[in-house]
Every structure is written in C-alpha cells, then in structure tokens.
Amino acid sequence: MEPSSGQMMPGFEHPMDIEEFRQRGKEMVDWICDYYSGVSERPVRSSVEPGYLASQLPRSPPQKGEAWSDIMQDIEHKIMPGVTNWQSPNFFAYYPANSSAPGMLGEMLSAALNVIGFSWIGSPAATELETIVLDWLAQLLDLPACFRSHTPEGTPSEGGGVIQGSASEATLVALLAARTQAGAAPEEAHRLVAYGSDQAHSSLKKACMIAGISHCRSLPAAAANGWAMDPKALEAALEEDKAKGLKPFFLFAVVGSTNTCAIDPLLQLGPIAQEHHLWTHVDAAYAGAAAVVPEQRHLFQGLHLVDSFNMNAHKWLLTNFDCSPLWVRRSEPLKQALSLTPAVLRAKGNALDLRDWQIPLGRRFRALKLWFVIRTYGAEGLQEYIRHHIRLAKVFEGLVRAHPKFEIAAPPRLGLVCFCLKDGSREQNAALLEALNSSGRLFMVSTDVGGKLILRFALGATSVQQSHVEAAWQQISQQADQMLSQH
Amino acid sequence: MEPSSGQMMPGFEHPMDIEEFRQRGKEMVDWICDYYSGVSERPVRSSVEPGYLASQLPRSPPQKGEAWSDIMQDIEHKIMPGVTNWQSPNFFAYYPANSSAPGMLGEMLSAALNVIGFSWIGSPAATELETIVLDWLAQLLDLPACFRSHTPEGTPSEGGGVIQGSASEATLVALLAARTQAGAAPEEAHRLVAYGSDQAHSSLKKACMIAGISHCRSLPAAAANGWAMDPKALEAALEEDKAKGLKPFFLFAVVGSTNTCAIDPLLQLGPIAQEHHLWTHVDAAYAGAAAVVPEQRHLFQGLHLVDSFNMNAHKWLLTNFDCSPLWVRRSEPLKQALSLTPAVLRAKGNALDLRDWQIPLGRRFRALKLWFVIRTYGAEGLQEYIRHHIRLAKVFEGLVRAHPKFEIAAPPRLGLVCFCLKDGSREQNAALLEALNSSGRLFMVSTDVGGKLILRFALGATSVQQSHVEAAWQQISQQADQMLSQH
C-alpha cells in the first residue's frame, strides 16, 4: 500500500486527527474520573491466573487500524480484571504509589510535549525546572544546604539534585560515583566492598551485580535496635575487610527499610564512614516524604555527614510514578562515572546535561508533575497530607494493640504497622493474609524478619481515610476470629 | 497545621477533587490540541540562555497551595519559551521522538492506573500485555521467531521481549547478560572485551563504564562501506585480543548508526561472533521501525544469528517516550544477571517478573501506549507511515543533489540525509547550521564523520509533510546562498 501523493496525512492527523483526539482525550478524562470515583469498590488485588490475557487477545497484530471504541471496550473487559488497584484506598501492600490530580496533569503535559531532555538544549526548561524544583523539594525536606544546586544567595554549588526513574537507579548511580571516587584500577575492582544492613533494599545487591562489585556485605540488623544497622558491626566489618586486603568504598544506609521501616543511625554511621573514606548513600525511598513535617525530621539526623540522599516522590508524595529524586553533595564523581560526549549531542553549553547524572541517555520531562504537585498542595498541604497518614497509622496500631489475638511485630513507624497473630504460626499468618487478599477487599503483603513471617499494613494510598482503616481492621480481625475458631 | 478530624479529604480529593480534575483534565486536552494545531508556528529550537528560568521562578516552594490557573499561566509564559519543540514538523534534529494521539491516550491511562509492575501480581495485565504486544511487534518487524515469548502454536519459548526505558538501558542489560554468559570470575572481569564500531552508539561505552568493563574496543568504520563495521577488522581484533590473554564476550552491532544511519553487516558479523562465543546485541534504536515495511527488511538480514535486538518505538514508531523494546533469544542469562527475590516481593507465581529483565525494580504500564498505537494504526497504517517518511527523505535527497553548492555527505538511508556545503569548510557548515537553527524555523544537528563536520537532516516527526521538507530546503539553500555571497 504505497501512499499515492502528498495529500495523505499520516502521524498525528491519521488515523486519529486532532479533533478526534480532543474527543477521545476528554472521554479518557471522564473514564479516569469514573475510575477514581469507583476504585474503592474494585477488588484491590487482581484475582486472575497467570496467562489469563493471552487467551483473550489475538496472537497477531491487526492488519487494519481498529476503532477507538473497540479498544476502550477491551480496557474494561480484558485489562481491568488484571489490574491490581494501587490507587484503591484499600491498598496497604508494599509501600504506596501515590497518584494525584496535579501529578496526572503533569503526565499529560509531559507526554504531549514529549521532549527528550538528554542535553540542556533538548529542552532547557526540562533541565532547569528539574534543578529548581529539586532545590524546592530539598527545602521542603529540610535537607542540608549542600544538596541544593545553588546556595540560598543564588551561587552555584558543587551539589544538586536529579530525578531518577527509581530508587534502584539512584542506588546504582551513587554506587558508581563512589567507585569512581575510590579510584580503584579495573584489576582492583574485585577488592571493593559495599556495606548495608540485611534490611537494606535489594537494590544494593542488584547495583553491585551490575557494577561487577563482588563484595557486598550484608550486616545483620537486630530486633533490639529496631532492625537498624549496628555501627559497631560496621566498624568491625571494616577492620576485618581491610585486614584481608579488601577496599571498603560504599555505605548504603536506609531511612525507612522495605521490611519494617527501620532507620539506620546516620549520626553514628556517618563519622565511621568518613573515617574510612566511604561514600554514604541514604535510601529513604518511602520515608523521605515524612521529612516535610518538622516533627519527623529527627529520623533524618546526620544527613550533613552523607554524600547522597534519595527518596521516591512517587511513593508517598503524590507524584505519579516515576519520580525518584536523588541529591548529591558533589556531582563531580557522578559525572565522572557517567559522562561521555558523542559529537551528535554536542550543543550550546554544557550546563547541566542531566544525561551525565543517570544511566539512560534519554529522559522525560518529569519535573513538571513534581512542580504541579508542590504548587497545588503547597508546603502546608503536603504536611497535612503526611500527618493525616501518620495519624491513621496510629489509629491502626491502636486497634492491633487493643486486640488480644494480635501483636505488633516491629516498631511501628510513619505509615507502616507490622503485626501478626500472637503465638500464630508462620502458616496461620500466611493463611490469614491470603484469605484477606483473595477477598479483594484489601491488599497487604507479608515479610520475613528475624525468622518470623509478619504482616505489613502500609498506609499511604492517596485517598485513604479513617473509614478504610477501620473497615480493614474489621476484615482482618473477623477473618482471624473465624480462622482461629475453626482450629 | 494539624488535621482536626477524619472529615478532611487529603490526597486526590484535596486540594483538587475529582470534579475539578475533570474540568482541568479537559482543559489540558484542549491545551494539547491547541499546542499541536500551532506547533509548526513555534520556534523549533528554544532560544533561551542557560539559567533563563531561575530568574523567573521563586527560589523556594510556596507555603500555601496555588490556584491551577496560575500554574497554567506559567506554562505558557515561563516554560514554553524553554521548550525545544520535538513535535514540530520542522524538527529534523537528532532522530525523531514520535508522539501520537493513541500514544498520549496510553500515557493518560497509564498515569491514572499508576500501577507498579515490578512483579506479576503488581498488575498481571501490565506484565502480560507487555509480553503479548512485544510478540505482536516482533511479527510486525518480522523478527526471527526465537525472539517471541511463545511459538506461533502458543508454546512458551526461551526468549521474549521486554520494554526498556531507553536504548542505553537495553545495551546495558544485554551487556550484563553477555557477561553472565561468559562466566568470568570477578577477578577476571578486567580481561573481558566488548566490541563495536567507532560509529556505535555511545551507550556501549557507557554500559562498559557502568559494568566495570575496561576493554571496550572501538573498531574504525570506513566511508568505503558506508561507515559500517568491517568484519575483517573484527576478526583481526579478536585474534589480537585473544593472543594478549583477553576474553572477548560482547559484540555491539548497529542497524542505523546515530551519525549516519550506517548498517553493520549482520550476516557477516554473526558467524564470527558465534565462532568466538560472543553475545551479539543489535542496536536498531532508530532504524528498527523501518522493518515494518518488507522492502527495508534487507537491512536486518542476519538477525537469526544474534542474541538480542533493540529498537525504540519512541523514536519512529509513534509511541510516546519512553518505550524501548528489547528482545532476547534466551532470557535465562538476562535473569541470571539481574534477578534477586527479596521476601517482601515474593507473591503468587514467578511467571514473568519483568523486574528481572531490567535495571530498575519499579516499572510503568508502558505496554498500553504501544498496544493503542498498534491497534489504532494497524500493520498497514504503520507501513504507510514509515513509507511516507522514507519517500520524503528521497525528496530531500533529490533537492540536495540538484543543488550545485551542496553535496550528499554519507549514503542516505531511511529518513536520514547527511549533507554539507560542497567544498565548504568546517566553519562554514557550522555557521550555516547555527544560522538556520537560530532562526527557529527548523532544527538540525551536525555530526563529525571522517574528520568532516556534516549536517544531518533527520526526517520522522509525526506530522511532517512534503511542504515542511520543501520549506526547510528553501531555508537551507537561501541561507547558504546568502552566506556564500558574503564571502
């Protein structure tokens, strides 16, 4: 089918022209509004079986274009049954993945402009807004001034922020900067050692695998200090490894671990890391958002001692996935680890080519959604939002503590409450969880800590209210009563 | 500002409730339609100076939330001057970054659901649709059947596809799989050697830097074979390196180089790579889309000999950034290189946890937009689209060839025409380019090949028509006439 003349209008105009997009776009906005209005009624965890979709879709692409109405019908009938509704107020699994109205508007605009901000000239606004908004967010989180791109007087500093796609990428990028700073020759690379607690996020191990760092030491965290890293254990490991001729270079500290929201003691770890010339990276993927409220900032004490700090605005700060800000005290090692300048990309100025701060070359205009969120909510709105969730977690904690058959299984922190059946076996807790999750009325996940299987009630869905927490608890306690009465 | 009761409605409901989102979302759709209607009138390359935005925005975030209308005003007045309009039909720089109506609708829906598909249960539809749609795309591109997740009869195969964020990530992931397959011990890693031509995308060097591979050999490509890799040069390098005790493990071949759209000869390279047990990765970031038309498939001959293949649907296949499909013949080395399974993520089934096929843990529901694009256009619509652009490039090539002061500077291929002033100096070509780009009426970039600075006319913006190509040529030739008459 050869085009016959210049009259054809492919691309945007064809097969869907601007006027049809106007209509379909507005219908999609209505669909989204309907979705959010009714999401609390949808099963939270999808109940399909693996492979469910293959039998419902053709094995081959269509030869001719299809009507939009047919596609949208498939969304409701074929796709939605396989969606786990992270935006349900009854979603208490993993950690939250916040969506918000300004976040979605930001995604719409970003998709429409569809600029590729690998270099400054690729769209100056994309690079510059990102830097400015991360300076804003650094202030909202009360980060040490060294993490801002400019001093309060407006002078460029050595550090700054960049939006990564995920905390895993932030970890990798920080590890690579650390490796560069350590200056090990290639044939010495296998002597490098990275450190984290056994509660550290798996991204540490993955980053080590990727970077070819074979020594990734996992230090046992103990229940006694709330599953946080023990500074003495770190010191001992450092001495031991140095005695073996190894070269410690990287400390991965968590503020808010994945399992139990444990907080590594930065104030004690920082000086040790500095003494041994380690690059300290702080992973506060979930908990970082809590730094917007002054009463939680004690969890972050010691940030003046670290080299990089990461949080996911896409977890608990209302910014649609993906948006994982990373701040570094000094950007030079990062750029040294990641910069190349092929001729085709050379363009006006070299100021802030953010490709040199990340793994990929291309990058979306993600600053827009974060800017929209911060401006729409304002500092006070964000604080109110975080406090609301922390208060709801307290409500849930109180319900657990007041129940004779349950107990708190790790120190509750921020929006996370870990709990389990008192004297319950591993199997009983697992069975309780599965019964709850398969009801579709709520979704939680379990984790293993200290050899026990415990349940995690992770609070932070954008629209969760006290009524949802109370309803969840009613489900949980009734299911447990029913289960235990059968034995 | 403590919340006073459970009556507050934070998150989605506050400060922007569903009804306001309905209104603002539809206004945004209108804004987008206006943008596309008028984008050809906007300056293509932004003309702001570095730092332009800082002076226009507050240095600190607002204390109270702001009205949406104020935010949207800033979009037009402060952001848009700093946007380089990749969606302009007068954008001929780099390679295209296609947006389309179904692509944008996919982004809207994906942002609304905001599911995190790191594991199958995170949203079964996200994982399963991705696998199915990449099987569709593999058929559209006529890839060897081994790259599909299922045989035509529906039996699971050893290979399959995954959507990466960018070609750089695809390169890195393939390199890591290759390293795993090579099975070098950590202390042997510094002996590994990766190979590419000096026309290979910079992502090869970056991947090597990240993975700690210090030997990344860049083989000189020659003008004589259209800047493609010379199989003899590869063979010689392999023998030389093996004689030195090094361990070749990875071949990076390009189908459509960044500089000139050069095509490495897969049919000749493949057997050499196989003999030396190299993992061959094919980077067809831009050119890959051309495989939808049978008459261009000769460029891809030899894919049955390679291990992985990558193209960017976000370049020339109408799918908004980011969408970079990667197919592998065998997924096992990939998973072995990248898989961990932390307890908190363990859930029902382990089928196709796509986190094990990529660097990040989290992932967006990117298959939706690709599915929307393929269904809306159909195979024939996509073919018509690609042919339209290739035809326009021929028109441009003809204009260059017919002009006495210009010459073609590299073999024209697909949508790319490299040209320069005949007998023009480096400075003259650069001055011509800057004069054109600063006019705002079109945007191209230059590149260095064989010691010459040449101009790249990269055709592929979604809405480009013959009239834009003719107008661009008029600009270019008039500017050249004017410049040359002044000397």
Side-chain angles (χ1 to χ4, degrees):
Chain A
M1 194 170 129
E2 280 287 338
S4 52
S5 79
Q7 302 311 306
M8 306 203 73
M9 300 183 78
F12 196 92
E13 302 298 333
H14 173 77
M16 194 185 285
D17 68 11
I18 291 182
E19 288 316 309
E20 186 177 356
F21 174 73
R22 195 187 300 277
Q23 181 194 336
R24 300 313 186 187
K26 290 179 181 181
E27 287 171 8
M28 186 63 88
V29 170
D30 282 329
W31 190 97
I32 293 169
C33 291
D34 291 350
Y35 174 70
Y36 278 92
S37 299
V39 68
S40 66
E41 305 303 316
R42 291 184 188 254
V44 192
R45 189 185 74 175
S46 169
S47 60
V48 299
E49 293 296 318
Y52 91 101
L53 192 56
S55 60
Q56 298 186 54
L57 294 184
R59 282 209 192 124
S60 298
Q63 197 57 23
K64 307 237 176 233
E66 299 179 65
W68 183 252
S69 53
D70 292 343
I71 298 173
M72 278 311 286
Q73 274 203 351
D74 282 352
I75 291 296
E76 198 52 72
H77 298 127
K78 298 177 181 170
I79 299 299
M80 293 312 293
V83 166
T84 291
N85 291 290
W86 290 64
Q87 302 317 312
S88 167
N90 304 312
F91 183 94
F92 305 106
Y94 313 111
Y95 275 130
N98 284 180
S99 168
S100 70
M104 284 190 282
L105 291 165
E107 284 287 14
M108 286 171 71
L109 183 55
S110 164
L113 298 176
N114 205 42
V115 299
I116 314 297
F118 54 74
S119 63
W120 178 84
I121 194 60
S123 266
T127 298
E128 297 195 13
L129 186 64
E130 185 160 326
T131 302
I132 293 167
V133 172
L134 291 198
D135 278 0
W136 283 17
L137 187 53
Q139 292 170 67
L140 283 167
L141 302 177
D142 198 35
L143 300 186
C146 61
F147 290 117
R148 293 188 221 159
S149 70
H150 289 76
T151 66
E153 295 73 39
T155 316
S157 74
E158 288 184 84
V162 60
I163 298 177
Q164 304 284 333
S166 65
S168 301
E169 287 159 85
T171 301
L172 176 56
V173 154
L175 182 107
L176 296 172
R179 189 179 63 179
T180 301
Q181 184 176 274
E187 60 276 16
E188 292 297 300
H190 67 282
R191 293 186 194 279
L192 294 172
V193 196
Y195 300 84
S197 90
D198 59 9
Q199 298 301 303
H201 188 261
S202 58
S203 66
L204 173 61
K205 274 188 199 144
K206 192 159 176 173
C208 285
M209 283 164 68
I210 293 166
I213 303 293
S214 48
H215 298 290
C216 178
R217 271 195 80 158
S218 189
L219 306 170
N225 51 357
W227 303 107
M229 191 188 286
D230 177 0
K232 288 204 170 43
L234 175 63
E235 269 187 316
L238 286 165
E239 296 305 340
E240 194 181 299
D241 290 340
K242 282 189 165 175
K244 282 189 205 159
L246 298 177
K247 190 172 165 53
F249 80 112
F250 186 65
L251 173 63
F252 182 84
V254 288
V255 174
S257 67
T258 310
N259 282 333
T260 64
C261 204
I263 313 281
D264 288 342
L266 305 180
L267 272 178
Q268 284 97 66
L269 297 171
I272 302 170
Q274 288 187 334
E275 192 195 322
H276 292 265
H277 306 291
L278 310 185
W279 177 295
T280 302
H281 175 70
V282 175
D283 170 23
Y286 161 71
V292 300
V293 297
E295 66 271 22
Q296 296 297 341
R297 288 183 187 152
H298 61 97
L299 301 176
F300 301 87
Q301 278 186 335
L303 283 185
H304 61 287
L305 302 168
V306 312
D307 299 282
S308 50
F309 177 80
N310 169 236
M311 57 84 66
N312 285 342
H314 61 235
K315 277 199 165 66
W316 195 20
L317 208 63
L318 293 157
T319 309
N320 290 53
F321 189 88
D322 49 354
C323 185
S324 182
L326 167 71
W327 290 269
V328 290
R329 173 185 301 275
R330 288 177 57 237
S331 62
E332 191 46 39
L334 203 69
K335 287 189 267 185
Q336 222 179 307
L338 292 166
S339 180
L340 314 150
T341 307
V344 71
L345 300 176
R346 264 179 232 142
K348 183 174 174 179
N350 192 34
L352 291 171
D353 281 347
L354 290 176
R355 65 174 180 272
D356 295 342
W357 296 52
Q358 63 175 17
I359 303 302
L361 175 59
R363 52 201 330 273
R364 300 196 297 140
F365 196 166
R366 292 181 290 213
L368 280 175
K369 57 187 170 185
L370 183 56
W371 192 46
F372 286 176
V373 165
I374 294 175
R375 292 188 67 180
T376 303
Y377 281 80
E380 290 177 7
L382 295 174
Q383 290 171 342
E384 185 187 309
Y385 178 73
I386 293 293
R387 285 178 177 136
H388 169 70
H389 286 162
I390 294 176
R391 191 181 65 77
L392 292 184
K394 285 271 168 228
V395 168
F396 186 83
E397 181 190 341
L399 292 167
V400 174
R401 290 196 191 275
H403 197 291
K405 290 179 184 152
F406 284 95
E407 64 184 353
I408 294 293
R413 190 156 279 141
L414 303 175
L416 181 67
V417 182
C418 293
F419 69 106
C420 59
L421 288 165
K422 201 179 278 179
D423 311 316
S425 68
R426 193 173 181 83
E427 291 67 32
Q428 281 176 317
N429 278 298
L432 171 62
L433 180 66
E434 184 49 31
L436 290 164
N437 285 346
S438 55
S439 78
R441 296 173 68 176
L442 61 87
F443 183 24
M444 293 186 290
V445 294
S446 61
T447 193
D448 269 286
V449 178
K452 275 180 76 173
L453 182 135
I454 62 177
L455 311 188
R456 296 169 75 265
F457 189 82
L459 209 140
T462 307
S463 60
V464 65
Q465 298 297 333
Q466 187 158 333
S467 58
H468 303 111
V469 175
E470 287 165 350
W473 180 249
Q474 202 177 15
Q475 291 283 313
I476 295 166
S477 55
Q478 281 178 359
Q479 188 68 47
D481 286 342
Q482 195 186 321
M483 245 183 59
L484 296 173
S485 71
Q486 286 168 353
H487 290 275
Chain B
M1 193 171 129
E2 280 287 338
S4 54
S5 79
Q7 302 310 304
M8 306 202 74
M9 301 182 78
F12 195 91
E13 302 298 333
H14 172 79
M16 193 185 285
D17 68 11
I18 290 180
E19 288 316 309
E20 187 178 356
F21 174 73
R22 195 186 300 276
Q23 182 193 335
R24 300 312 186 188
K26 291 180 180 180
E27 287 170 8
M28 186 63 88
V29 170
D30 282 329
W31 190 96
I32 293 169
C33 291
D34 291 349
Y35 173 70
Y36 279 91
S37 299
V39 68
S40 66
E41 305 303 317
R42 291 185 188 253
V44 192
R45 190 185 75 174
S46 169
S47 60
V48 299
E49 292 297 318
Y52 91 100
L53 193 56
S55 60
Q56 298 187 54
L57 294 183
R59 283 209 191 121
S60 299
Q63 196 59 23
K64 308 234 176 238
E66 298 178 65
W68 183 252
S69 52
D70 292 343
I71 298 173
M72 279 311 286
Q73 274 203 349
D74 282 353
I75 291 297
E76 199 52 70
H77 297 127
K78 299 177 181 170
I79 299 300
M80 293 311 294
V83 166
T84 291
N85 292 290
W86 289 65
Q87 302 317 313
S88 167
N90 304 312
F91 183 95
F92 304 105
Y94 314 111
Y95 275 130
N98 284 180
S99 168
S100 70
M104 285 191 281
L105 291 166
E107 284 287 15
M108 287 172 70
L109 183 55
S110 166
L113 298 176
N114 205 42
V115 300
I116 314 297
F118 53 75
S119 62
W120 179 84
I121 194 59
S123 267
T127 298
E128 297 194 13
L129 186 64
E130 185 160 328
T131 303
I132 293 167
V133 172
L134 291 199
D135 278 1
W136 283 17
L137 187 52
Q139 292 170 67
L140 284 167
L141 302 178
D142 198 34
L143 301 186
C146 61
F147 290 118
R148 293 188 220 160
S149 71
H150 289 77
T151 66
E153 296 73 39
T155 316
S157 74
E158 288 183 84
V162 60
I163 299 177
Q164 304 284 332
S166 65
S168 301
E169 288 160 85
T171 302
L172 176 56
V173 154
L175 182 107
L176 296 171
R179 189 178 63 180
T180 300
Q181 185 176 272
E187 60 275 16
E188 292 297 300
H190 67 282
R191 293 186 194 279
L192 293 172
V193 196
Y195 300 83
S197 90
D198 59 9
Q199 298 301 304
H201 189 260
S202 60
S203 66
L204 173 61
K205 275 188 198 144
K206 192 159 176 174
C208 286
M209 283 164 67
I210 292 167
I213 304 292
S214 48
H215 298 290
C216 178
R217 270 195 80 159
S218 191
L219 306 171
N225 52 355
W227 302 107
M229 190 188 285
D230 177 359
K232 289 205 170 42
L234 174 64
E235 269 187 317
L238 286 165
E239 296 305 339
E240 190 183 302
D241 289 339
K242 281 189 164 174
K244 281 188 203 160
L246 299 177
K247 191 172 165 50
F249 81 112
F250 186 65
L251 172 64
F252 182 84
V254 289
V255 174
S257 67
T258 310
N259 282 334
T260 64
C261 204
I263 313 281
D264 287 343
L266 304 179
L267 272 179
Q268 284 97 66
L269 296 170
I272 302 171
Q274 288 187 337
E275 189 196 324
H276 292 267
H277 306 290
L278 310 186
W279 177 295
T280 302
H281 175 71
V282 175
D283 170 23
Y286 161 72
V292 299
V293 297
E295 66 272 23
Q296 296 297 340
R297 288 183 187 151
H298 62 97
L299 301 176
F300 301 87
Q301 276 185 337
L303 282 185
H304 61 286
L305 301 169
V306 313
D307 298 282
S308 50
F309 177 80
N310 170 237
M311 57 82 67
N312 285 342
H314 61 235
K315 276 199 167 66
W316 194 20
L317 208 62
L318 294 158
T319 310
N320 290 54
F321 188 88
D322 50 353
C323 185
S324 182
L326 167 72
W327 290 270
V328 290
R329 173 184 300 277
R330 288 178 56 237
S331 62
E332 192 46 40
L334 204 68
K335 288 190 266 184
Q336 221 179 309
L338 292 167
S339 179
L340 312 148
T341 306
V344 71
L345 300 177
R346 266 178 230 141
K348 181 175 176 180
N350 193 35
L352 292 173
D353 282 347
L354 291 177
R355 64 172 180 275
D356 295 342
W357 296 53
Q358 63 174 19
I359 304 302
L361 176 59
R363 54 201 330 274
R364 301 195 297 140
F365 196 164
R366 291 180 290 213
L368 280 175
K369 57 187 171 186
L370 184 56
W371 192 46
F372 287 177
V373 165
I374 294 176
R375 292 188 67 179
T376 304
Y377 282 80
E380 290 177 7
L382 296 174
Q383 289 170 342
E384 185 185 312
Y385 177 74
I386 294 293
R387 286 179 177 136
H388 169 70
H389 285 161
I390 294 175
R391 192 182 64 79
L392 292 184
K394 285 271 169 231
V395 169
F396 186 84
E397 181 190 340
L399 292 167
V400 174
R401 289 194 191 276
H403 197 291
K405 290 178 184 152
F406 285 95
E407 64 184 351
I408 295 293
R413 190 155 281 143
L414 303 174
L416 182 67
V417 182
C418 293
F419 68 106
C420 59
L421 288 165
K422 202 177 280 181
D423 311 316
S425 68
R426 192 173 182 83
E427 291 66 32
Q428 281 177 314
N429 278 298
L432 171 62
L433 180 66
E434 183 50 32
L436 290 163
N437 286 346
S438 55
S439 77
R441 295 174 69 175
L442 61 87
F443 183 24
M444 291 186 292
V445 294
S446 61
T447 193
D448 269 286
V449 178
K452 275 181 76 174
L453 183 134
I454 62 177
L455 311 189
R456 295 169 76 263
F457 189 81
L459 209 142
T462 307
S463 59
V464 65
Q465 299 296 334
Q466 186 158 334
S467 57
H468 303 110
V469 174
E470 287 165 351
W473 180 249
Q474 202 176 15
Q475 291 283 314
I476 295 166
S477 54
Q478 281 179 359
Q479 187 68 48
D481 286 342
Q482 196 185 322
M483 245 182 62
L484 296 173
S485 69
Q486 287 169 352
H487 291 275

